[in-house]
Amino acid sequence: MFIDELIDKIKEKNNPTVVGLDPRIEYVPSVIRACAFHEHGENIKGAAEAIWIFNRRIIDSVHDVVPAVKPQLAYYEMYGVEGLRVFDRTVKYAKEKGLLVIADGKRNDIGSTAEAYSTAFLGKTQVDGGVFEEAFGADALTVNPYLGCDGISPFIEDCKKYEKGIFILVKTSNKSSGQLQDIVAQDGRSIYEIVAGHVAEWGQGVMGKYGYSSVGAVVGATYPEQAKILRGIMKNSYILVPGYGAQGGTAGDIANSFNKDGLGAIVNASRSIMCAYKSDIWKDRYGEDRFDEACRAEAIRMREDINSAI
Amino acid sequence: MFIDELIDKIKEKNNPTVVGLDPRIEYVPSVIRACAFHEHGENIKGAAEAIWIFNRRIIDSVHDVVPAVKPQLAYYEMYGVEGLRVFDRTVKYAKEKGLLVIADGKRNDIGSTAEAYSTAFLGKTQVDGGVFEEAFGADALTVNPYLGCDGISPFIEDCKKYEKGIFILVKTSNKSSGQLQDIVAQDGRSIYEIVAGHVAEWGQGVMGKYGYSSVGAVVGATYPEQAKILRGIMKNSYILVPGYGAQGGTAGDIANSFNKDGLGAIVNASRSIMCAYKSDIWKDRYGEDRFDEACRAEAIRMREDINSAI
C-alpha cells in the first residue's frame, strides 16, 4: 500500500521531506548544458537531454537521504515530447534507486477522462486483449477537486487496485489561492474546509497500517493557520506541503501540518534543492561542478530543519 | 487573435461545433489495429500508432466541415511517451489541414508552474540564449480555476503575446460537478457564478473584433438552466460546451449557451463522432472500413442539429 511504503521510507530515512524535480534549463550547470547542446543540437532535444543528466545526478546524490521525489509535469511538458521522455526516464530511474515518485500533475476531468489520467500515471493501459502496460508508472499523483467526487473516484479505485496514492488540492500555496478556496459557504465553512471534509471521507476506503490513508491532501506551507484547521479535519490524511524554501514557508510554519505522532505530512522543496549550488549558504563550498553535492547538503539541511521543528 | 480566427472559421463553415479527439484503442477499427500491432508489436507503441492512423483519417474526413478539433490529453498520456508523440503529430496535422486545435488538458498550478504549462501548450520554450521553440503549439487550452487568478494570469499573458486562447472550467458536465461548483457563498452566489464573474473580468484584456474574448469558459450541455445564467454573466466569453451526444446533452439544451447573434458558443462531441460507425444511425450505411465517412456524416448531422436549435 502506497501510504505504508511512504511512511516506512520516511521512518527509515528519518526524513519527512521530498525533493521536487521541477527542472528548467537555466538551472542546469553550464558544462552539462554545453555538452548536451553540442551532442544533440541547440534545440529542445538538447535542452531535454541536459535536464535528464541534471535530474539523474540529483537523484544519485539524494536517493539515500529522501524517501521520495516529486517531478512537476509542467516542467517536462514545456520541452514537448522530448520533455515527456525525460519525465519517463526520471520516474523509472528514481524508482530503480528505491525512491517513491509523486507525479505532480494536478490532473482533473469528468469520470471517464479521469479514468484515463489515472491509467496514465497510476494504472495500466490495455493495449489489446489481455496485454497491459504501464504508461508512466508513478507511485502517486496530485489531483484537483473542482469536478467533485466522480472526477476523483477513478483515481481512488486505482489506489486500491495498484497500491498507489493521490494528493488532492485543498489549500494551495500561492497568493491568490483564497480567491476560490477561502470562499465561505452558507453553512459557515470555507471551500477548503469542505474539500478537506471530502478528502477525509474519500480516504476511509484506503487506510494503511499506520492509521493513514493513501488519499492525501495538498496544503501549502504559506498558510500555517489554515493548516492547523485542516490537520484537525483530515486526521488520517497525509499532507503534502509545498511552499517551503523558495516560496517563503519556514519549518515553524510547517509544524502545524504534522500530527503528534510526528507523522502526517511530507514537505516538498524544489528550487532550493535543485539550485542549492547558487544559494548563499552553499555557493562558496560547492561550485557549478559540484552542484549535486550542494543538492545533497541542502536536502540534509532541510531534513534537520524540519525535524527540529516537529 | 485566437477568438477572431475561431469565429471566422465558425462563420466560414457555418458550424459552431468541434470534434473531440479522445481516442481509445477500442474505438479504432480492427483492421487498423491489426496492421499497427503487426508492424510495431502488440504493445503501447503499436496502440499509439493505430490511434495516430485513426486520428489522421478522422481529420482528413472532417477538416472542411468543422472549425476546430479538441484532443483530450488524458487519452494520449495513457499511452505514455508514444501517446504524447501521437498528440504532437495530431496537433501539427490538424493545423496543417487548417483546423484550430484546442488542447483539452484542464491544466492548473501556482503562478510559476502555470507559466510552464502555458509555455508548453500556448507559448514558446526558451532553449538557450535567444533560441525558442514551440513545445506542442496548440491554439487554445482548457484550464482549471481552483488556484485563483495568479494560476490563470500566465495563460492570459500568453493569449496576448502569442494570439492564443483559453477556456476556463466554470460548470462541468459531469454528475458530481455540483459538489463544489454549486456551493452557495454567503453573498448568495454559487461558486460557478463567482468563477464566471472572474472569467468575464479576466477576459476584458483580450477582446477581439466581434466583441468576444480569447478567454472563454467551459459550461456543460448537461446543465442548461445554469448555462442560461452563465450566458448572462459572461456576455463576451465564448463558451466551450461539452456533454452533447454521448453524455446526454441535446441541441435544445445547448441553445442557452448561445447569444442572440448566433455566436458565443462552440459545442464539442467526441465519442459520438469517433464511434459514429458503431452507432444505430450510421452502422448500416458505413462499416468499420468506412469509419471516416461515418465521422463526416455524423459531424454534418451534428452541425445541422445544432444550427436548427440556435
Side-chain angles (χ1 to χ4, degrees), chain B residues 9-66:
Chain B
K9 282 182 195 290
I10 288 170
K11 288 182 168 194
E12 179 199 323
K13 291 170 176 171
N14 187 30
N15 190 355
T17 77
V18 51
V19 169
L21 294 173
D22 311 0
R24 304 186 73 113
I25 188 67
E26 57 268 33
Y27 296 173
V28 180
S30 51
V31 178
I32 296 176
R33 278 207 308 254
C35 284
F37 287 134
H38 178 74
E39 199 174 332
H40 300 276
E42 201 172 346
N43 51 36
I44 226 165
K45 185 162 169 50
E49 193 62 27
I51 286 170
W52 159 240
I53 305 291
F54 183 60
N55 276 359
R56 197 181 61 194
R57 282 185 56 187
I58 294 175
I59 292 169
D60 282 340
S61 128
V62 301
H63 77 274
D64 58 336
V65 177
V66 292

Side-chain angles (χ1 to χ4, degrees), chain B:
Chain B
M1 179 166 266
F2 168 75
I3 195 63
D4 292 341
E5 213 181 325
L6 178 65
I7 295 172
D8 285 338
K9 282 182 195 290
I10 288 170
K11 288 182 168 194
E12 179 199 323
K13 291 170 176 171
N14 187 30
N15 190 355
T17 77
V18 51
V19 169
L21 294 173
D22 311 0
R24 304 186 73 113
I25 188 67
E26 57 268 33
Y27 296 173
V28 180
S30 51
V31 178
I32 296 176
R33 278 207 308 254
C35 284
F37 287 134
H38 178 74
E39 199 174 332
H40 300 276
E42 201 172 346
N43 51 36
I44 226 165
K45 185 162 169 50
E49 193 62 27
I51 286 170
W52 159 240
I53 305 291
F54 183 60
N55 276 359
R56 197 181 61 194
R57 282 185 56 187
I58 294 175
I59 292 169
D60 282 340
S61 128
V62 301
H63 77 274
D64 58 336
V65 177
V66 292
V69 289
K70 182 177 76 64
Q72 161 55 257
L73 275 144
Y75 294 97
Y76 300 87
E77 294 180 2
M78 70 182 279
Y79 299 97
V81 177
E82 294 301 332
L84 271 302
R85 185 182 304 286
V86 173
F87 173 77
D88 185 47
R89 293 169 85 177
T90 300
V91 171
K92 288 188 170 67
Y93 191 70
K95 287 173 79 172
E96 265 173 47
K97 290 282 175 179
L99 291 161
L100 287 170
V101 177
I102 302 166
D104 194 356
K106 300 184 174 63
R107 295 304 195 247
N108 65 105
D109 215 296
I110 64 165
S112 51
T113 307
E115 211 178 292
Y117 275 131
S118 184
T119 298
F121 293 102
L122 307 177
K124 286 183 179 174
T125 301
Q126 184 166 23
V127 173
D128 198 31
V131 182
F132 286 81
E133 273 184 55
E134 274 190 352
F136 288 114
D139 297 297
L141 179 69
T142 58
V143 301
N144 179 312
Y146 191 67
L147 286 88
C149 65
D150 62 35
I152 297 291
S153 60
F155 297 105
I156 297 178
E157 286 311 304
D158 281 347
C159 287
K160 291 177 191 165
K161 190 168 172 190
Y162 297 106
E163 309 218 321
K164 305 283 182 167
I166 55 172
F167 294 93
I168 301 171
L169 299 190
V170 174
K171 175 70 185 164
T172 58
S173 61
N174 58 315
K175 273 195 186 141
S176 74
S177 72
Q179 203 167 15
L180 215 80
Q181 298 160 27
D182 291 2
I183 291 173
V184 177
Q186 294 192 318
D187 68 0
R189 293 185 301 159
S190 63
I191 295 295
Y192 65 78
E193 289 172 296
I194 294 171
V195 173
H198 291 308
V199 170
E201 183 199 324
W202 293 334
Q204 288 308 314
V206 209
M207 295 293 296
K209 64 183 178 186
Y210 296 109
Y212 288 99
S213 172
S214 286
V215 173
V218 174
V219 179
T222 43
Y223 295 101
E225 286 312 309
Q226 289 87 336
K228 196 183 289 180
I229 296 164
L230 291 167
R231 184 65 283 172
I233 299 173
M234 306 180 287
K235 291 188 172 53
N236 305 110
S237 311
Y238 238 78
I239 298 179
L240 173 63
V241 187
Y244 172 83
Q247 284 183 58
T250 67
D253 294 335
I254 278 159
N256 290 351
S257 293
F258 285 84
N259 277 322
K260 289 196 176 119
D261 58 5
L263 296 171
I266 185 158
V267 183
N268 177 77
S270 304
R271 219 177 329 155
S272 58
I273 307 270
M274 283 186 296
C275 297
Y277 72 98
K278 297 181 180 185
S279 72
D280 286 345
I281 313 181
W282 305 114
K283 69 181 174 196
D284 292 334
R285 191 164 335 168
Y286 306 106
E288 268 205 359
D289 294 352
R290 295 170 66 197
F291 78 92
D292 47 353
E293 292 175 68
C295 292
R296 183 183 176 85
E298 176 60 19
I300 290 169
R301 195 203 62 74
M302 179 184 173
R303 178 188 70 194
E304 303 310 313
D305 189 36
I306 304 289
N307 279 338
S308 70
I310 62 177

